[in-house]
């Protein structure tokens, strides 16, 4: 296996493990703005960026931070959910644990009661919805109901919707208008990409540099600084480099892998 060739104890790029979440300066800024939204009890914020930029990882990282602070923080992916499934998942996420014979109206009451109880216990409720641009219209209506419920600052209740920046209007004009803050995640700078690749390799057990300088630059250029693409291209470059018995991955290896990927996509 290529892991043995490079001396890895685990895959450095194959899995976006939350414990290995790479916090760049722009992530720090995004998290600071989202925390501002929450701490000031604003009801709705948008986390936007292209596919693969790290919106899901950012939400999970924020969720873990908030839970450690004693708040109720939950994340739900909206793709494929109908209105009934949405309410059931929301009930479970807020700790209501609805029973089979519980009506949707009753579950809604339980959810709102839970938010009120958290408020009385001086805890916040933060509900995060991933892939919101893929939500069905009836789920969007449910989101509006949730967001417009008792829009009082003292309720200590915030909703964050994550969506592709190019599909934000699929949320619907009303949701976009209700948002207090828009946080955009941008592609990584070259230094961010290089630091991520080097740090991830070291955490996986590498003792030496596995990419030469030009290969690092090429990985960033060909991935356009999109973390998901960078991970994929780096992982496959390691496989190719091991197959050639290289001591480090060079620019030609990265370019060859990228050409193969591009060819397979066009088939």
């Amino acid at each position: 296996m290529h892991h043995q060739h490079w001396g890895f104890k685990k895959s450095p790029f194959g899995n976006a493990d939350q414990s290995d979440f790479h916090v760049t300066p722009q992530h720090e800024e995004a998290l600071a703005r989202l925390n501002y939204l929450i701490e000031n009890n604003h009801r709705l914020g948008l986390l936007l960026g292209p596919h693969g930029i790290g919106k899901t990882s950012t939400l999970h990282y924020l969720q873990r931070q908030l839970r450690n602070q004693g708040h109720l923080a939950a994340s739900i992916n909206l793709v494929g959910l109908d209105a009934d499934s949405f309410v059931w998942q929301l009930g479970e996420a807020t700790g209501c644990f609805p029973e089979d014979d519980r009506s949707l109206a009753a579950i809604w009451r339980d959810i709102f009661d839970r938010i009120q109880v958290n408020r009385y216990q001086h805890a916040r409720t933060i509900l995060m919805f991933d892939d919101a641009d893929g939500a069905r219209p009836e789920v969007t209506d449910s989101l509006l109901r949730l967001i417009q419920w008792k829009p009082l600052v003292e309720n200590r209740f915030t909703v964050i919707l994550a969506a592709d920046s190019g599909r934000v209007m699929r949320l619907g004009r009303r949701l976009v208008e209700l948002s207090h803050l828009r946080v955009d995640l941008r592609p990584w700078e070259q230094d961010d990409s290089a630091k991520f690749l080097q740090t991830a390799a070291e955490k996986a057990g590498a003792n030496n540099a596995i990419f030469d300088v030009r290969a690092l630059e090429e990985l960033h250029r060909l991935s356009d600084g999109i973390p998901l693409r960078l991970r994929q291209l780096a992982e496959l470059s390691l496989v190719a480099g091991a197959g050639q018995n290289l001591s480090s991955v060079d620019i030609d290896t990265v370019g060859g892998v990228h050409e193969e990927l591009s060819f397979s996509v066009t088939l």
Side-chain angles (χ1 to χ4, degrees):
M1 291 180 62
H2 70 286
H3 289 176
Q4 294 176 333
H5 176 83
W6 300 109
F8 293 142
K9 299 174 183 176
K10 62 176 184 176
S11 174
F13 313 120
N15 299 305
D17 190 302
Q18 286 305 303
S19 63
D20 291 335
F21 180 55
H22 184 64
V23 182
T24 67
Q26 77 148 313
H27 278 119
E28 291 178 348
E29 180 184 350
L31 290 165
R33 297 185 69 191
L34 291 172
N35 276 299
Y36 163 85
L37 182 84
I38 294 163
E39 290 165 6
N40 286 275
N41 301 310
H42 295 302
R43 182 56 58 89
L44 176 62
L46 305 179
L47 178 65
L48 306 177
H51 174 69
I53 199 65
K55 298 184 292 295
T56 301
S57 298
T58 301
L59 288 182
H60 289 169
Y61 187 85
L62 177 62
Q63 177 181 337
R64 191 164 65 247
Q65 285 186 326
L66 292 167
R67 286 181 172 177
N68 288 339
Q69 296 167 13
H71 303 302
L72 192 163
S75 178
I76 297 174
N77 190 293
L78 297 182
V79 172
L81 294 185
D82 58 24
D84 291 2
S85 299
F86 171 81
V87 177
W88 275 89
Q89 284 206 26
L90 186 57
E92 292 179 350
T94 52
C96 299
F97 304 111
E99 298 177 358
D100 291 342
D101 60 350
R102 197 78 168 146
S103 70
L104 293 180
I107 298 172
W108 271 115
R109 287 195 298 271
D110 291 344
I111 292 167
F112 293 137
D113 286 346
R114 173 64 64 178
I115 296 171
Q116 291 279 42
V117 168
N118 289 342
R119 168 196 168 189
Y120 297 141
Q121 294 178 342
H122 305 289
R124 303 182 188 280
T125 302
I126 303 93
L127 301 176
M128 298 174 270
F129 298 99
D130 202 3
D131 289 324
D133 52 306
R136 297 179 180 180
E138 63 268 27
V139 172
T140 300
D141 291 341
S142 295
L143 285 172
L144 280 169
R145 177 180 181 180
L146 181 67
I147 291 162
Q148 294 182 107
W149 171 78
K150 292 186 178 180
L152 305 174
V153 169
E154 56 266 29
N155 281 323
R156 299 163 66 87
F157 169 43
T158 299
V159 173
I160 298 171
L161 303 180
D164 190 301
S165 48
R167 293 156 48 103
V168 64
M169 292 312 298
R170 293 195 178 192
L171 298 175
R173 185 172 299 278
R174 183 60 179 152
L175 275 177
V176 174
E177 289 173 347
L178 286 171
S179 64
H180 181 84
L181 183 66
R182 169 177 171 153
V183 180
D184 289 274
L185 289 177
R186 302 176 304 279
W188 284 355
E189 300 292 338
Q190 185 168 309
D191 279 352
D192 296 325
S193 297
K195 287 178 182 177
F196 163 72
L197 293 169
Q198 292 164 344
T199 301
E202 290 171 3
K203 287 183 177 179
N207 295 318
N208 302 308
I210 57 173
F211 298 103
D212 66 29
V213 174
R214 293 184 66 201
L216 288 172
E217 294 172 350
E218 190 72 349
L219 283 165
H220 173 76
R221 185 183 73 83
L222 294 175
S223 67
D224 295 319
I226 303 295
L228 179 61
R229 297 180 199 164
L230 183 68
R231 283 179 177 274
Q232 293 172 335
L233 187 56
E235 182 73 13
L236 291 174
S237 294
L238 290 179
V239 174
Q244 300 171 52
N245 201 31
L246 299 178
S247 58
S248 64
V249 175
D250 56 27
I251 188 172
D252 292 334
T253 302
V254 174
V257 168
H258 182 261
E259 284 184 11
E260 289 184 11
L261 282 175
S262 300
F263 177 74
S264 64
V265 168
T266 58
L267 286 180

